[in-house]
Amino acid sequence: MFRLTDQQKASYKENGYLVGLPPVFDSKELMAGYELLTGSLMEGELPSDMINWHRTSRWLYDLCTHPQVLDAVEDIIGPDFVLWATDFITKSPHSEKIVPWHQDAYYWPLHPHNTVTVWMAFTDVDEGNAAMKVIPGTHRGGVIKHKIADKSSILSFELDDGAYREDTAVSLAIPAGGFSLHDDAVIHGSPANLSDRWRIGFVARYSGTNVKCDLTKTPHYLAYLVRGKDEFKHNPMGVPPAESYARPPYHRRIRKTEADGIN
Ligand SMILES: O=C(O)CCC(=O)C(=O)O
């Protein structure tokens, strides 16, 4: 059983993120699985369109439910929690796409805020190839109003300049096969990838079973109980997939709402 130390837990509470955890996956196996999944992309879809494929791919679902990952999540949000979203955040060499400064909780109709994101590195990521940056401690200031994001951005909302102090940002370097954790209210983002290297991240989102999704806003939300028990029964529950590398049946660009589940 893997456990975060008291110091790691205190650091997460103080800063809203945690890096430096022992790598858990074999990087060659990660990339082999990634190639198989991207091999089933439909014409016009990109790797970043592989949203919520944990619903159909057992291989991805098993990455998200690796005991070491779940142990780390449990030490942050408690013993009873669900997995409800996954996403590949990829940047090809010399990609100009940026992830603007934002807080995840602004996007999600989830209450109360009790969500942690696991950011898994499929490739080595560091400052040179656009590792994610966080502004430590900003989760303690609550969720701030966002504005519509610039066109070069991967996201639809971003924070106003002035809502944060970029000079205190920290770049989260993670070796391939490793992962970091971040709070749903910590301010984070990532720059363009100016390097010759791919930057492939896979994020998985976990919430305590006490968290309720507003289904009027996101009718396709589905939660998977991955640890403990669900005494609240707030949300629709999914059944873990059987096939290793199956993909959703719809083209994500055409049926975005079903594909994303939450947006
Ligand atoms: O990978 C990135 O650059 C950003 C990830 C992110 O915004 C998230 O996980 O919420």
Side-chain angles (χ1 to χ4, degrees):
M1 196 176 189
F2 173 80
R3 288 276 74 117
L4 298 183
T5 63
D6 287 345
Q7 201 185 2
Q8 286 170 322
K9 285 191 242 180
S11 171
Y12 183 90
K13 205 168 170 194
E14 172 74 12
N15 297 312
Y17 72 94
L18 195 61
V19 270
L21 298 165
V24 58
F25 301 110
D26 178 84
S27 57
K28 286 203 180 74
E29 272 173 39
L30 288 184
M31 286 313 292
Y34 179 79
E35 296 302 331
L36 283 168
L37 289 177
T38 51
S40 68
L41 286 171
M42 296 179 193
E43 202 177 327
E45 284 183 326
L46 299 170
S48 53
D49 288 321
M50 297 191 294
I51 291 178
N52 288 335
W53 283 26
H54 67 282
R55 294 178 178 186
T56 48
S57 161
R58 185 68 199 210
W59 178 73
L60 272 184
Y61 184 87
D62 287 346
L63 290 188
C64 301
T65 54
H66 188 288
Q68 193 170 320
V69 171
L70 297 187
D71 288 346
V73 173
E74 178 171 342
D75 282 345
I76 301 294
I77 58 172
D80 304 314
F81 58 92
V82 296
L83 162 73
W84 58 270
T86 61
D87 198 348
F88 280 91
I89 307 184
T90 61
K91 295 189 190 191
S92 56
H94 306 286
S95 162
E96 287 176 6
K97 287 276 178 198
I98 63 157
V99 176
W101 294 110
H102 69 283
Q103 295 169 297
D104 295 332
Y106 185 78
Y107 284 77
W108 302 334
L110 301 177
H111 301 283
H113 294 305
N114 185 25
T115 299
V116 62
T117 291
V118 168
W119 200 108
M120 294 181 201
F122 272 47
T123 56
D124 290 333
V125 292
D126 52 50
E127 199 157 9
N129 66 343
M132 188 174 89
K133 291 182 171 188
V134 300
I135 307 187
T138 42
H139 62 304
R140 288 185 270 113
V143 180
I144 309 167
K145 194 168 162 33
H146 290 46
K147 62 176 184 180
I148 305 284
D150 186 84
K151 281 213 170 51
S152 63
S153 154
I154 286 174
L155 300 180
S156 36
F157 298 106
E158 65 184 349
L159 282 165
D160 255 325
D161 310 344
Y164 51 85
R165 288 264 320 272
E166 199 170 338
D167 57 344
T168 58
V170 175
S171 196
L172 305 189
I174 313 172
F179 68 97
S180 64
L181 305 170
H182 68 264
D183 184 276
D184 58 5
V186 77
I187 297 178
H188 60 288
S190 63
N193 180 10
L194 304 177
S195 77
D196 294 331
R197 295 177 285 147
W198 270 88
R199 176 272 210 200
I200 302 175
F202 174 65
V203 294
R205 324 271 189 196
Y206 306 83
S207 298
T209 49
N210 64 322
V211 174
K212 187 170 168 46
C213 177
D214 179 349
L215 297 174
T216 61
K217 296 204 171 112
T218 60
H220 301 286
Y221 176 92
L222 260 190
Y224 294 78
L225 185 67
V226 288
R227 196 154 267 187
K229 46 194 183 321
D230 179 11
E231 286 177 344
F232 296 90
K233 310 254 181 290
H234 279 328
N235 304 299
M237 301 302 271
V239 177
E243 275 189 63
S244 294
Y245 300 101
R247 58 153 294 146
Y250 32 70
H251 192 293
R252 192 214 166 214
R253 303 263 156 174
I254 297 168
R255 296 196 24 208
K256 188 173 181 312
T257 309
E258 287 99 317
D260 292 1
I262 190 158
N263 47 16

